[in-house]
Amino acid sequence: MAFRLFVPILAGATLRERILACIGATIGIALTGVISGLAMGGGPHVALLVAPMGASAVLLFAVPASPLAQPWSIIGGNSISALVGVTVAHFIHDPVMASGLAVALAIAAMSFTRCLHPPGGAAALTAVLGGPAVISAGFLFPFVPVALNSTILVALGFLFHKLARRNYPHVAAPAANSHGTADPPAQQRVGFRPEDIDAALTTLDETFDIDRDDLERLLRQVELQAMVRSHRTLLCEDIMSRDVVSVSEQATADEARQQLIDHNIRTLPVVDADARLVGAVGLRELTKATDTVKSVMAKAGTASPETPAMSLLPVLTDGRSHAVVIVDGERHILGLITQTDLLAVAARMQRADKGLAAA
């Protein structure tokens, strides 16, 4: 039980990550002091490093994925907070009152400028209680040394993380849709939606130190594991594309062919004047066209939203059909499921099953 005291409290933390953080902080703080000294010159009244840089280094090197550790958070948070502190100290001479007000206003300023950074509170406090070096610098203090220190530290952090093959500045890379439509990729259509995350965060009424996109990525992995464990039946409405590209039955073959190429798709549903599904065409059918799409369209495979998704497997593996159109009772198009959509979900479930078996 005693060794549990040394277990990292951060999710995903490893010994390697902690060692890298220590090395990065050593290099970052030392070089920031050296470079700042060269830029500002020496002297007993010159502050080469401000104390908040130590706290900034903790965030920058130990939790580089945190929204509080991103470049604008560090540079903007420290600099703006220091400016707030200097301004408050200029008008309010009682140190106790000035200290509380400076930190409070710094939080407000960082929140409105989207650069919330915990060491910013220390920067504001340093501006009020910093002593002769801060007083002599006056309104220059937020820029030199605070902004200078922050900029150098971020630049060093950027280089260090690149060498360590870490993602910094941290950006959650969403999976791309290769068809040029508004639908999310197939693997992201199962389960919750982005608006569900927003609703949950609103309901909890708390602030969490994690980027919203990272939270979505994490939850999707959790959902996948839960879905496999519960063995619930996937329905067509769970995985279908909803932003479906279609073509009028009166369109020319060239127009339909261009639609297929522009959106990188293989099947194009054909609709009549009332937007009801009447067929489907692909490049195979369009090679025979001499007039309109209507003359060469084939019968479209269809299903309802409540149909079990895996029941489409025979249709999508018959060697002819590349997609099944999801329609309502009046044959209005609600969505579309391709071979890729079904394969993506099946592959994710298989990976999860292997992971559970190995565990």
Side-chain angles (χ1 to χ4, degrees):
M1 292 296 293
F3 287 103
R4 290 182 61 84
L5 294 174
F6 300 97
V7 176
I9 61 173
L10 296 175
T14 63
L15 179 60
R16 176 183 179 274
E17 293 293 307
R18 300 285 73 79
I19 292 174
L20 281 175
C22 294
I23 296 172
T26 301
I27 297 172
I29 291 297
L31 287 182
T32 297
V34 170
I35 297 171
S36 296
L38 294 174
M40 297 185 295
H45 298 296
V46 177
L48 301 182
L49 274 174
V50 289
M53 290 305 109
S56 294
V58 173
L59 290 170
L60 176 60
F61 295 104
V63 282
S66 170
L68 307 176
Q70 301 314 297
W72 172 236
S73 296
I74 295 176
I75 298 173
N78 284 329
S79 304
I80 291 172
S81 297
L83 181 60
V84 169
V86 169
T87 304
V88 170
H90 181 75
F91 290 103
I92 300 177
H93 302 293
D94 178 81
V96 175
M97 181 64 69
S99 298
L101 189 59
V103 173
L105 292 178
I107 294 174
M110 288 187 288
S111 298
F112 282 116
T113 54
R114 300 180 64 82
C115 59
L116 192 65
H117 186 59
L125 201 58
T126 301
V128 174
L129 306 175
V134 176
I135 294 173
S136 63
F139 280 94
L140 186 62
F141 176 74
F143 305 98
V144 180
V146 176
L148 178 63
N149 285 174
S150 301
T151 302
I152 295 172
L153 186 65
V154 167
L156 292 171
F158 175 80
L159 293 174
F160 179 83
H161 289 310
K162 289 301 178 186
L163 292 174
R165 297 182 179 180
R166 280 172 155 184
N167 178 22
Y168 187 84
H170 179 74
V171 177
N177 185 326
S178 62
H179 301 308
T181 66
D183 283 303
Q187 60 268 31
Q188 292 187 5
R189 295 184 203 138
V190 179
F192 68 88
R193 299 181 183 177
E195 54 266 30
D196 297 328
I197 297 177
D198 295 332
L201 290 172
T202 300
T203 301
L204 291 174
D205 195 24
E206 292 187 58
T207 301
F208 299 92
D209 184 13
I210 183 172
D211 181 79
R212 185 192 171 286
D213 292 335
D214 285 331
L215 179 61
E216 181 174 351
R217 291 171 58 206
L218 175 62
L219 290 177
R220 289 200 181 280
Q221 291 302 315
V222 173
E223 184 195 42
L224 174 61
Q225 299 301 323
M227 179 181 67
V228 173
R229 176 176 51 79
S230 61
H231 294 92
R232 77 174 181 88
T233 301
L234 281 175
L235 304 180
C236 289
E237 63 184 357
D238 293 324
I239 67 171
M240 68 184 184
S241 300
R242 297 173 187 270
D243 182 16
V244 181
V245 179
S246 60
V247 66
S248 168
E249 61 183 353
Q250 300 302 324
T252 66
D254 286 339
E255 290 173 340
R257 191 177 296 109
Q258 193 60 48
Q259 286 269 63
L260 290 169
I261 294 172
D262 287 347
H263 294 283
N264 190 27
I265 53 180
R266 303 180 68 178
T267 300
L268 200 58
V270 181
V271 296
D272 62 16
D274 296 321
R276 290 186 174 89
L277 180 72
V278 292
V281 293
L283 290 176
R284 178 179 55 203
E285 288 81 17
L286 292 175
T287 58
K288 309 172 187 176
T290 57
D291 191 6
T292 63
V293 168
K294 184 177 182 179
S295 63
V296 294
M297 65 182 183
K299 182 179 179 181
T302 62
S304 69
E306 296 77 25
T307 301
M310 289 303 171
S311 69
L312 304 184
L313 193 60
V315 178
L316 292 177
T317 56
D318 63 4
R320 299 184 304 274
S321 304
H322 300 297
V324 172
V325 186
I326 311 304
V327 295
D328 62 15
E330 297 179 356
R331 294 186 68 81
H332 290 120
I333 298 175
L334 300 177
L336 184 139
I337 295 177
T338 67
Q339 293 170 325
T340 303
D341 296 333
L342 200 60
L343 181 61
V345 174
R348 292 186 70 196
M349 294 181 69
Q350 184 181 32
R351 287 198 300 269
D353 282 334
K354 287 182 178 179
L356 290 175

